[in-house]
Amino acid sequence: MQFEKNVQVKQPKYQQIAVDLASKIVERKYRIGDKIYARSSLASQYNVSSETARRAIAVLQDLEIVEATKGSGVIIISYEKAASFVRQFQDVQSVHELQHELMTSIQKQHQELINLQDKTKQLISRTEHFRSVNPFIPYQLEMTAESPCIHQTVQELNFWQNTSSTIVGIRRKNELLLSPGPYVSLEEGDIVYFIGNDESFARVQSFLYPN
């Protein structure tokens, strides 16, 4: 389901008028026993039809905030019920606002997720293309004390047999050993450069760091 960002939840006009009148009662602009406008005056004041004004008064009458009698007009009879009505209306508005903010946030996160997926696909595609064009670009891993392979030679490790990868270089401090051969040992701090297929990095990492 799609939600437009600028959609606002609005109450019917007659209910808005009823809430406004109740708010004026709560603000003591009207007192208990006061008469409020006749239907025609109310319609003129809020620029609505007489029917809309009648419905607004009917809401207040149903909630026992006012009493409407023929000849006496509309009389305010309850401050407490007016206050309760206003609080209820404000709570409903708060819920609608929270719902709107939540849906807006979800929309943003959804769009960000789509953008992230697109960027990820582009990265994977370009990486695969780059490696297909440059198959000899090596992977690299650093040797740390956590590896059980420290101090062992490439031959002792049966490196190629266990990883299907070939070591093409080892950087040790400020020196780079190219094509180091089978008798060089792997030492802590070494950066090992190796080539292989797409699964090589995972296999070498698992071999050098089995835990």
Side-chain angles (χ1 to χ4, degrees):
M1 180 180 294
Q2 297 293 325
F3 294 88
E4 295 182 9
K5 293 183 178 180
N6 297 323
V7 170
Q8 296 182 351
V9 178
K10 288 189 176 181
Q11 301 294 334
K13 189 65 177 179
Y14 69 85
Q15 191 169 25
Q16 294 178 38
I17 295 172
V19 172
D20 186 61
L21 292 172
S23 297
K24 289 178 179 178
I25 296 172
V26 173
E27 294 165 3
R28 306 295 186 178
K29 292 181 179 178
Y30 297 135
R31 303 284 181 175
I32 302 301
D34 285 354
K35 284 185 180 181
I36 60 176
Y37 306 100
R39 221 187 310 172
S40 57
S41 300
L42 199 63
S44 176
Q45 180 188 359
Y46 287 97
N47 194 27
V48 295
S49 66
S50 295
E51 176 61 20
T52 299
R54 183 194 69 76
R55 290 184 181 181
I57 293 172
V59 169
L60 298 177
Q61 188 174 6
D62 290 343
L63 295 173
E64 299 179 347
I65 296 172
V66 302
E67 186 178 67
T69 58
K70 289 184 179 180
S72 298
V74 180
I75 300 174
I76 298 166
I77 61 174
S78 177
Y79 169 86
E80 290 77 11
K81 291 181 179 179
S84 177
F85 176 48
V86 171
R87 281 195 302 270
Q88 181 183 19
F89 181 82
Q90 289 173 340
D91 289 343
V92 170
Q93 287 296 94
S94 296
V95 169
H96 285 319
E97 289 171 2
L98 287 172
Q99 288 175 334
H100 176 68
E101 290 173 3
L102 178 61
M103 294 313 303
T104 300
S105 177
I106 290 174
Q107 279 185 326
K108 289 181 179 178
Q109 291 181 20
H110 179 65
Q111 187 58 50
E112 288 173 359
L113 180 59
I114 291 175
N115 291 338
L116 179 60
Q117 289 174 335
D118 288 343
K119 296 298 182 185
T120 302
K121 288 178 181 177
Q122 290 179 31
L123 177 61
I124 292 172
S125 176
R126 292 182 184 184
T127 300
E128 290 175 347
H129 174 71
F130 183 73
R131 286 207 169 272
S132 67
V133 174
N134 302 275
F136 299 110
I137 298 297
Y139 298 98
Q140 66 181 65
L141 271 175
E142 182 178 2
M143 299 300 299
T144 70
E146 298 176 359
S147 175
C149 301
I150 294 293
H151 305 314
Q152 296 188 59
T153 67
V154 174
Q155 185 179 54
E156 290 170 340
L157 292 170
N158 288 323
F159 190 86
W160 185 85
Q161 291 86 341
N162 285 304
T163 65
S164 298
S165 302
T166 301
I167 294 177
V168 294
I170 296 176
R171 191 175 75 200
R172 182 167 296 166
K173 295 182 180 179
N174 295 324
E175 295 181 346
L176 178 62
L177 308 176
L178 293 176
S179 302
Y183 305 113
V184 67
S185 61
L186 302 182
E187 304 297 337
E188 184 177 353
D190 285 354
I191 304 297
V192 180
Y193 298 93
F194 56 95
I195 59 174
N197 59 27
D198 293 340
E199 299 175 357
S200 291
F201 183 83
R203 278 201 300 266
V204 170
Q205 187 174 46
S206 296
F207 177 68
L208 295 180
Y209 297 95
N211 296 325

